[in-house]
Amino acid sequence: MDEARAVLARLERVEALGREAAPASALLAELRLLVREAEAWVRADRPGVDAEDAVARCAAAFEGRLIGTST
């Protein structure tokens, strides 16, 4: 359950950065780490294919948005 704690802590950091109007680069770095930690959580808990697919879709959407905004 350490993975779950890591994800929750990362979410709190992301929210804090949002409240502080932190630079986008800092927020994106935290979001990248959040995706990695969420993937680790899914692998550790093995809740099923649906959860793994959801994490994969989130990661793909995140990467797609980064590519779309990198102009």
Side-chain angles (χ1 to χ4, degrees):
M1 202 49 113
D2 290 332
E3 291 84 5
R5 276 189 283 260
V7 168
L8 294 174
R10 183 75 57 197
L11 283 170
E12 289 176 13
R13 284 193 290 278
V14 167
E15 289 174 353
L17 287 171
R19 286 190 302 272
E20 297 165 6
S25 59
L27 187 58
L28 288 174
E30 289 294 324
L31 290 170
R32 285 185 186 106
L33 291 169
L34 176 62
V35 169
R36 288 187 194 131
E37 290 168 349
E39 289 170 338
W41 184 9
V42 167
R43 283 191 299 273
D45 285 351
R46 302 295 297 162
V49 173
D50 290 338
E52 291 174 4
D53 287 345
V55 169
R57 286 192 308 272
C58 287
F62 177 69
E63 289 300 319
R65 288 178 193 242
L66 283 180
I67 292 168
T69 60
S70 63
T71 57

